[in-house]
Amino acid sequence: MLYTGTMSEIPGGKAVQEPSGRTVRLLSVVSLLVPILAAAPPARAAAAELILSEYVEGSSNNKAIEIYNPTPAAIDLAAESYELRFYFNANTTAETIIPLSGTVASGDVFVVADEDATQAILDAADQISGQNFFNGNDAAVLRKGPAVIDSFGRVGEDPGSQWSGNGVGTRDQTLRRKADVCAGDRDPSDDFDPSEEWDEYPQNTFSGLGAHSDTCAPQPPSTEIFDVQGSGTASPFDGQTVTLRNNVVTAVGPEGFFIQTPEARDDHDPDTSNGLYVYTGSAPSVSAGDLVDVTGEVDEFFDFTEITGAATVTVVGTHPLPPAVVFDATTPSPDPEDPGCALEPECYEGMRISVPQGTVSAPNLSFSGDPIAELAVVAGPTRAFREPGIAYPGLGGTLPTWDGNPEIFELDPDRLGLPNRSAASGSVFTAAGVLGFEFGDYELWPTELDLTPATLPRPVRPRADGELTVGSLNLFQLFDHVDDPGSDDEVVGEEEYAQRLAKLSRSIREVLGTPDVLAVQEVENLAVLEDLADRIRDDDGKNGAYSAHLIEGNDIGGIDVGFLVSERVRVDAVTQFGAGELFPDDGSLLHDRPPLLLEATFLGDGGDFPFAVMVNHTRSRIGIEDADGRVRRKRLEQAQSIAEKVQTFQTQHPATALVVLGDFNAFSFTDGYVDVVGQIAGDVDPAENLLSGPDLVAPNLTNEVLRLGAGERYSYIYEGSAQLLDHALTSQAAAPWVSGFAFGRGNADAPRHWLDDATTALRASDHDGFVLYLAPGAPPCDGLLLNRDRFCVEVAWRDFQGNTGAGRVVPFGSDDSGLFWFFAPDNWEMLVKVLDGCGVNDRYWVFAAATTNVEYTLRVTDTANGVLEEYFNPLGTASPAITDTGAFATCP
């Protein structure tokens, strides 16, 4: 039965993908039919392998061992690390070890003899050795690498002069394996009675040496794991039954286990995996380190190669675990043009993996049956970010290409039975396990996990006295429990609605600091926004007195944009723009959620400060790669329409501070198709965009998000990559008053299961909200603004005659550097740099060089928080260079 509809999960089930991309779970019928597989006793393996077929304990040095190959394939003894070991005088440590070299054909034998044996033995020998051979009371063991394949005698036991039973002894005899013995004795410490499996012949009987026959049924051919995996996305053995011999169990889960080729048999082909999952449907009776033979059907179960069906599993020994593939900054490769193998990470599927330094790039997903599900991670110290361009392979030419962050994979903490872990983005971990595949993604299923959670929430700083705060928050489809007549809007339960209001109230108050103006997106209607305002007031009457403002738009899903405005702000006008504009392609309405402009006056600084805020929620990127190009064209048309309205306001109100903000569904750089933010801000490069329009905005708007360090430029996470969709663009008239910008963290980075918990602000939405700080009462910077206009640099001087003045700015055109002159415009006295060293020592740096000996005071202020650094040069002193690499501990 296929379960469809909303996200759901059947416990113990498998996954399919609907055309919509929404994950659904399918109950595995196989898991109900496959029996629990018990491991066979290790002493008598059922699978075919080499066996000891003849034992010659003749007079003097007439000693030999014959080895028989009952398998259907030739065996290269050296390549597979076969060796003979002899244990003398009840020792448990072998004193003679003979590495074997040569090939044994199917049905043929391989004779190892003492170099001083009689010629009849040497004529039959395939390999001779000058090492000490055995007597009748010494044990012999045939090994394949560390695994015991067969044994004669009992290691560690002193049987006297010989082992014997029913008239058959091991001293001064030739013994031949009975014809119906088809598998070796893999336990060299068990009881040994030679009469059970050996026939006795007189001393110095050599006539049968060099040949052996058996009555065993033909054994199925053996296949290597790397052959089953192949070098493609699917196994070349899909649907076939295979036998896999002598592979190591590397990890065990509740419904199966993983096996891997021992290191000695590695094919050293980077394009083929050495690991494989064996699906048993219930708890398997194997342990990590077991050496096993497995026979079963190969199945590409939703693209995960596994052995399934009524598989037979036999434990044949133990073996050290193969070394793990180390995932790090270069593996999986972050460059799709230079992968570590042909199909990465498919080439590691099923293999042991270790991650010595990992970072959570996206928090736990959540499903109804698995509320704390897998995380997106990278094997390095830095989470993954969206970068400019069209997703790989791109469209070529001058259009930028984004690599797609192929280094991202998933971590499912409890998939193999470890305790589950909930972790926010930015958490760090070390792990070891195996690479599984589920729901279309490669996942590390850990057997070891050490995780250090990131701290959330991280609220914005409190507003300073006299500051105006303007925020934005996507409310993540805030619908009420009322079924409005004539509307297709979503209707939620009354309890769920109350929970959403409580949680959003917490987020707005505790994380965003109750901004004076909060622009919102994805709210159903004015009544719902008023309910939110009431809830905030009830939770915090002192600071939470909001009025709600919303004008219905055109969105077929019933979501709108609006404002919550505090009592510290007087609302002068709320105007909707473009509600009736048409999309030229087909005459449909252009703006699903038309821009909404708030014109207001800030009253909190003791004087009137007029300002305006335009909230936007533009067309999403869903469908942007569609061949018809409609989504791209609509995004461009919307951006151009908004740009026209921005320019009209700037022209009509040049002295009024304007903030254009919201969920732009676009990045701070081009996605290669359309630079939506660049078009609205008046800063776009047509060569980097498939579609672009004329530059309609002058002077340009400033994206205040760029004040932040690179690691803080995100508001949303998509498929493991942090990306910036929410922006605050300010006009030139607003620039002197901007005193800071910050995101409140606790939504995008928080695991999804927190969405249903009203006792915490975590995951109130899927977007992080932000706050822009304006200080209307503060004097503007009387100098120059450096490093994304964050640092105000001012210079005051005094000469030998007592004259004083301020350094004048020389136009320089650099973001982090500036020039000043004191006495004449063509004679520059000082060069100042404010550099971002946050990635080096978590500090902003101040460098300066001056060609003067007058007294001066250099003042550098971090406008994001008011932190000031001053540098003084006394009168008459030649100014030294300033190299302050610890100036501002205010990163990011």
Side-chain angles (χ1 to χ4, degrees):
M1 179 183 296
L2 180 64
Y3 292 82
T4 59
T6 59
M7 283 191 186
S8 60
E9 180 181 312
I10 309 300
K14 298 285 181 173
V16 295
Q17 197 80 14
E18 285 188 296
S20 66
R22 183 171 291 179
T23 302
V24 224
R25 302 274 176 145
L26 181 65
L27 183 63
S28 174
V29 177
V30 176
S31 67
L32 302 178
L33 301 180
V34 177
I36 297 176
L37 305 178
R44 293 293 182 268
E49 247 293 0
L50 297 182
I51 63 171
L52 302 177
S53 53
E54 188 159 341
Y55 165 88
V56 177
E57 211 277 299
S59 61
S60 186
N61 294 314
N62 294 327
K63 318 282 186 177
I65 291 286
E66 180 186 88
I67 302 168
Y68 174 59
N69 179 7
T71 75
I75 293 178
D76 186 331
L77 297 172
E80 300 197 39
S81 303
Y82 285 90
E83 61 187 27
L84 273 174
R85 294 190 174 199
F86 301 146
Y87 297 80
F88 305 141
N89 302 320
N91 280 330
T92 56
T93 301
E95 295 182 33
T96 292
I97 300 176
I98 304 174
L100 303 181
S101 178
T103 300
V104 193
S106 174
D108 199 1
V109 297
F110 188 90
V111 176
V112 182
D114 188 309
E115 65 178 5
D116 294 322
T118 187
Q119 192 61 44
I121 293 178
L122 296 178
D123 288 344
D126 296 284
Q127 182 172 335
I128 61 175
S129 173
Q131 298 191 63
N132 291 332
F133 270 61
F134 46 83
N135 291 315
N137 57 355
D138 299 323
V141 174
L142 175 64
R143 290 169 63 109
K144 181 180 184 180
V148 173
I149 300 302
D150 199 0
S151 60
F152 183 93
R154 185 179 188 183
V155 173
E157 180 182 68
D158 181 0
S161 62
Q162 66 173 351
W163 285 280
S164 64
N166 298 313
V168 178
T170 59
R171 179 184 178 186
D172 299 334
Q173 303 289 335
T174 292
L175 300 181
R176 294 176 187 159
R177 210 69 172 264
K178 295 179 184 294
D180 62 353
V181 176
C182 305
D185 181 352
R186 295 176 183 264
D187 185 357
S189 64
D190 64 357
D191 292 335
F192 180 67
D193 178 352
S195 67
E196 293 180 357
E197 294 190 353
W198 298 85
D199 293 326
E200 181 182 272
Y201 294 85
Q203 185 182 31
N204 294 329
T205 299
F206 314 134
S207 58
L209 197 62
H212 183 74
S213 60
D214 64 39
T215 58
C216 303
Q219 297 290 334
S222 177
T223 307
E224 292 285 8
I225 292 173
F226 44 76
D227 293 324
V228 171
Q229 283 283 8
S231 59
T233 56
S235 170
F237 289 82
D238 188 19
Q240 301 179 37
T241 297
V242 297
T243 295
L244 305 161
R245 295 195 179 96
N246 298 303
N247 295 296
V248 189
V249 176
T250 56
V252 180
E255 295 180 313
F257 60 94
F258 286 81
I259 56 176
Q260 187 165 328
T261 310
E263 186 178 16
R265 301 208 316 271
D266 189 339
D267 66 343
H268 300 292
D269 182 349
D271 295 336
T272 59
S273 168
N274 286 345
L276 189 64
Y277 182 61
V278 180
Y279 176 66
T280 58
S282 57
S285 299
V286 296
S287 301
D290 284 347
L291 196 69
V292 296
D293 295 344
V294 175
T295 298
E297 182 179 329
V298 179
D299 183 31
E300 285 293 332
F301 195 82
F302 298 104
D303 299 323
F304 183 34
T305 308
E306 61 181 36
I307 299 296
T308 186
T312 60
V313 180
T314 306
V315 177
V316 298
T318 60
H319 196 287
L321 298 184
V325 176
V326 178
F327 275 15
D328 54 22
T330 60
T331 306
S333 173
D335 182 0
E337 292 287 340
D338 186 25
C341 60
L343 293 170
E344 197 173 33
E346 167 70 23
C347 59
Y348 314 121
E349 182 187 72
M351 294 182 67
R352 292 191 69 225
I353 303 296
S354 71
V355 183
Q357 183 181 31
T359 302
V360 175
S361 200
N364 303 78
L365 297 173
S366 184
F367 305 99
S368 60
D370 189 8
I372 304 177
E374 55 269 20
L375 312 113
V377 299
V378 293
T382 306
R383 65 191 297 180
F385 281 81
R386 184 47 157 99
E387 295 149 349
I390 298 169
Y392 183 82
L395 297 179
T398 62
L399 300 178
T401 299
W402 172 48
D403 59 32
N405 290 338
E407 68 271 22
I408 296 173
F409 56 102
E410 290 186 346
L411 172 69
D412 194 346
D414 64 343
R415 187 60 175 80
L416 295 181
L418 290 184
N420 208 356
R421 299 298 300 271
S422 174
S425 306
S427 301
V428 295
F429 68 93
T430 60
V434 285
L435 192 67
F437 184 84
E438 204 169 34
F439 313 136
D441 292 299
Y442 292 93
E443 298 179 348
L444 177 61
W445 296 353
T447 54
E448 304 172 26
L449 178 62
D450 183 6
L451 187 145
T452 303
T455 301
L456 286 179
R458 285 190 285 131
V460 301
R461 68 169 175 85
R463 68 169 68 84
D465 291 343
E467 277 188 319
L468 164 68
T469 51
V470 178
S472 177
L473 179 62
N474 183 309
L475 300 181
F476 186 42
Q477 301 179 0
L478 181 59
F479 292 95
D480 64 13
H481 58 287
V482 177
D483 189 2
D484 300 312
S487 171
D488 293 330
D489 294 354
E490 182 179 345
V491 179
V492 301
E494 186 171 354
E495 181 178 352
E496 179 182 346
Y497 180 52
Q499 176 178 286
R500 287 295 314 279
L501 292 177
K503 195 169 186 70
L504 286 167
S505 171
R506 279 186 177 273
S507 180
I508 292 166
R509 293 179 294 108
E510 297 174 6
V511 181
L512 298 182
T514 320
D516 293 308
V517 174
L518 181 65
V520 298
Q521 306 89 51
E522 294 196 18
V523 59
E524 180 181 7
N525 52 39
L526 180 59
V528 172
L529 192 56
E530 288 173 336
D531 285 348
L532 179 58
D534 291 344
R535 179 59 195 246
I536 295 170
R537 183 196 63 240
D538 293 342
D539 290 337
D540 184 1
K542 179 179 178 181
N543 299 307
Y546 275 132
S547 61
H549 304 269
L550 182 148
I551 299 175
E552 283 290 332
N554 305 316
D555 190 278
I556 59 173
I559 53 176
D560 296 301
V561 297
F563 294 102
L564 292 175
V565 183
S566 80
E567 293 179 330
R568 286 160 39 99
V569 173
R570 184 184 70 228
V571 175
D572 299 322
V574 176
T575 308
Q576 187 181 70
F577 292 120
E581 289 183 32
L582 302 180
F583 180 34
D585 269 33
D586 53 20
S588 61
L589 292 171
L590 175 62
H591 292 286
D592 306 286
R593 297 157 302 262
L596 196 64
L597 179 70
L598 169 71
E599 295 175 271
T601 302
F602 177 49
L603 309 174
D605 66 339
D608 292 350
F609 176 73
F611 68 101
V613 182
M614 182 187 292
V615 59
N616 298 278
H617 187 193
T618 56
R619 174 63 165 84
S620 79
R621 297 183 71 256
I622 295 174
I624 199 166
E625 296 179 350
D626 291 351
D628 63 8
R630 182 182 187 278
V631 172
R632 306 168 201 163
R633 291 190 297 276
K634 183 168 184 177
R635 284 167 61 82
L636 176 61
E637 288 291 334
Q638 285 184 348
Q640 289 293 89
S641 172
I642 295 168
E644 289 176 349
K645 294 163 181 51
V646 167
Q647 187 57 28
T648 297
F649 186 90
Q650 286 198 126
T651 301
Q652 295 177 351
H653 310 279
T656 300
L658 172 66
V659 182
V660 181
L661 48 58
D663 176 3
F664 288 71
N665 275 312
F667 315 126
S668 58
F669 42 71
T670 180
D671 62 11
Y673 293 112
V674 179
D675 186 357
V676 170
V677 174
Q679 292 283 173
I680 295 172
D683 183 15
V684 65
D685 183 354
E688 293 186 345
N689 293 276
L690 188 64
L691 300 177
S692 62
D695 185 351
L696 302 176
V697 178
N700 291 355
L701 304 183
T702 297
N703 194 343
E704 298 297 338
V705 176
L706 301 183
R707 287 174 167 264
L708 303 178
E712 285 293 312
R713 296 179 192 172
Y714 69 96
S715 61
Y716 185 79
I717 301 173
Y718 181 69
E719 294 184 345
S721 294
Q723 55 187 32
L724 184 60
L725 301 182
D726 302 81
H727 305 265
L729 312 179
T730 55
S731 66
Q732 189 176 73
W737 317 113
V738 175
S739 54
F741 179 90
F743 278 103
R745 301 301 185 189
N747 289 337
D749 290 330
R752 294 187 183 181
H753 67 89
W754 289 114
L755 179 64
D756 299 324
D757 187 346
T759 66
T760 174
L762 294 178
R763 202 71 188 188
S765 172
D766 53 351
H767 289 243
D768 281 334
F770 64 72
V771 173
L772 174 70
Y773 297 84
L774 300 165
C781 181
D782 187 19
L784 59 86
L785 289 167
L786 296 182
N787 210 307
R788 304 182 300 274
D789 293 338
R790 173 168 173 168
F791 292 89
C792 175
V793 182
E794 302 165 299
V795 184
W797 54 265
R798 182 173 69 89
D799 65 13
F800 290 92
Q801 289 74 41
N803 300 313
T804 60
R808 302 296 183 86
V809 177
V810 179
F812 191 52
S814 173
D815 176 64
D816 58 16
S817 304
L819 292 168
F820 289 92
W821 60 271
F822 294 174
F823 308 111
D826 57 354
N827 184 27
W828 308 334
E829 267 77 18
M830 181 176 287
L831 168 68
V832 181
K833 289 178 173 286
V834 180
L835 303 176
D836 185 346
C838 294
V840 179
N841 66 344
D842 203 31
R843 297 290 190 274
Y844 287 99
W845 305 347
V846 175
F847 288 6
T851 57
T852 184
N853 62 351
V854 302
E855 176 186 301
Y856 69 77
T857 300
L858 171 64
R859 296 167 53 90
V860 183
T861 305
D862 186 344
T863 62
N865 44 52
V867 176
L868 169 68
E869 289 291 334
E870 290 189 344
Y871 305 89
F872 177 73
N873 187 67
L875 187 65
T877 300
S879 175
I882 297 171
T883 56
D884 187 357
T885 58
F888 291 93
T890 55
C891 293

